[in-house]
Amino acid sequence: MRTLRRFALGVPPVALMSTLIVFLMTYLATANPAAQKLGDTATPADIARLNAEWGLDRGFFAQYGTWLWHALHGDLGVSYFSDVPVAESIGERLPVDLSIAVVAVVVGVLAGFAFGILAAVRRDGIVDRAVTAVSSVLVTIPEFWLAIMAIVVFSVTLRWLPSGGYVPLTQDPVAWLEHMLLPGVTLGLTVAASVARQLRTSLVAALEEDYIVGARVRGLSPRRVLFVHVLRNAAAPAVATVGLAVPVLLGGAVIAESIFGLPGLGQLALNGATSHDIPVIQGVLITTVAIVLVSNLAVDAVIARLRP
C-alpha cells in the first residue's frame, strides 16, 4: 500500500513535469524542420504551409495540450521525414535497449552482490582490498573503452561471441544471448562495481550492530546471520544504487548501439536529432522517462519488501 500511495502521489506529477520539459526543449529549438524537409528551393509560403500542416504555427500550450492528449492515448505522432508512426518505430527498437539493460542489470546485481558480500566477509583482507581496487577502477573506465576491448578480446582474438548485430529473443534465444552478452556485460560491469562498493559498506556497518552480536550469542550459524539478518537490512542502499544506474544504462546503451551496431532507441534519437525530427525526439525522450519511472517504482517496491 505504501508503494502504491507513493506511486499515486509522486509518479503522475513527475511524469507530467517531464513531458512539459521535453516538449519545451523541442519547442525552443531554433531549427525549422519544415525548411529542412522541403530543401533550399522551398519558398516561405511552402514552409509556412507545412508548418501549419504540422501545427507548428500555433502557441506553445496549444501544441503541448494536443500532443499530450494524443500521447496519453498512445499516439506519439508521425515522423516528419519517414512518415512512420513514432510509436511503431519505438516499438521496433525498444526491445534492443531493454535487452541490453536487462543483461546489464542481471550482471550488475549478481556480480555486485557476490563481490560485495565477499569483500564484507573478508574485510580488511587481501580479497577486500582487491574488490575495492577493481571496483574503483571499473567505475572510472569509460564504457566505450570497455566495449572496444571486449570486441578485441572476445570477438576478434578468441572468436567466442559476435561483435555486433541483434537477433530477437523470440526468434532465437541462444543467438539473442550471444549478441547481448558483450554490450550487456560491458555496461553491467560499471553497475556491479557501484553495487559491490555500496553493499560492502552497508554490510560492514550492519555486521557491527547489536542485534547481530545477539544473533551470534544465541548460536545462529554465520551463514544464517549473514543471509537472513544482515543482508536483508543492508541490501537497500545497494538496490537503490541499481535504480540510480538505470538512467546511466540507458545513456550507455546509446554508446553500445554505436559500437556494436545495434538498432536501438539511441540510434533513432540520434537520427531524429540530426534531422530535427521533433516527434521522434519527443517520443524517445518520453519513453526513456517512462522506463526510468517504472524502474524507480520497482526499486521502491523491492526496498519496501526488504525492510524488516
Side-chain angles (χ1 to χ4, degrees):
M1 291 299 297
R2 184 175 182 273
T3 302
L4 292 177
R5 188 162 56 250
R6 290 187 61 181
F7 172 81
L9 295 176
V11 172
V14 172
L16 182 62
M17 184 60 65
S18 300
T19 62
L20 183 62
I21 294 174
V22 167
F23 197 90
L24 182 62
M25 290 170 56
T26 54
Y27 180 81
L28 295 177
T30 57
N32 191 327
Q36 184 162 348
K37 181 173 183 176
L38 294 175
D40 297 334
T41 59
T43 64
D46 293 332
I47 295 175
R49 176 186 55 78
L50 191 55
N51 279 328
E53 180 181 333
W54 287 342
L56 299 178
D57 59 338
R58 298 186 298 165
F60 170 76
F61 288 104
Q63 291 187 45
Y64 173 69
T66 302
W67 174 81
L68 181 62
W69 174 257
H70 288 291
L72 291 174
H73 291 79
D75 181 10
L76 297 176
V78 178
S79 169
Y80 289 160
F81 297 90
S82 67
D83 295 325
V84 176
V86 175
E88 180 180 328
S89 299
I90 292 175
E92 293 175 353
R93 295 171 179 260
L94 184 59
V96 178
D97 294 83
L98 291 180
S99 298
I100 298 174
V102 167
V103 174
V105 168
V106 170
V107 171
V109 170
L110 293 181
F113 269 73
F115 287 104
I117 293 172
L118 187 61
V121 173
R122 306 289 184 182
R123 61 185 179 277
D124 298 329
I126 296 177
V127 174
D128 183 17
R129 293 189 181 94
V131 170
T132 302
V134 173
S135 299
S136 300
V137 172
L138 286 176
V139 170
T140 59
I141 294 179
E143 287 87 354
F144 74 87
W145 187 87
L146 286 175
I148 294 174
M149 290 299 101
I151 292 175
V152 171
V153 174
F154 295 103
S155 297
V156 178
T157 304
L158 299 176
R159 298 185 179 180
W160 288 354
L161 296 169
S163 61
Y166 175 74
V167 177
L169 176 63
T170 54
Q171 178 179 328
D172 189 341
V174 175
W176 170 84
L177 182 60
E178 290 176 346
H179 285 80
M180 289 296 102
L181 271 179
L182 286 186
V185 171
T186 298
L187 297 178
L189 287 177
T190 304
V191 180
S194 300
V195 171
R197 295 171 64 184
Q198 182 62 62
L199 185 61
R200 185 263 178 200
T201 303
S202 301
L203 286 174
V204 169
L207 285 169
E208 298 175 354
E209 294 289 340
D210 293 339
Y211 72 91
I212 298 301
V213 176
R216 289 170 176 165
V217 170
R218 291 197 301 272
L220 297 181
S221 66
R223 182 184 299 272
R224 179 176 176 82
V225 170
L226 176 62
F227 289 101
V228 176
H229 299 282
V230 178
L231 187 59
R232 182 171 181 178
N233 286 276
V239 174
T241 301
V242 177
L244 294 174
V246 171
V248 179
L249 289 177
L250 294 176
V254 178
I255 301 174
E257 290 170 17
S258 301
I259 295 176
F260 293 100
L262 300 172
L265 287 180
Q267 294 303 307
L268 180 64
L270 181 61
N271 295 335
T274 303
S275 60
H276 306 293
D277 200 339
I278 293 177
V280 171
I281 299 172
Q282 292 172 341
V284 172
L285 290 177
I286 290 304
T287 302
T288 303
V289 170
I291 294 173
V292 173
L293 289 177
V294 171
S295 65
N296 287 340
L297 181 63
V299 167
D300 287 345
V302 172
I303 292 176
R305 221 23 217 170
L306 288 174
R307 287 196 181 97

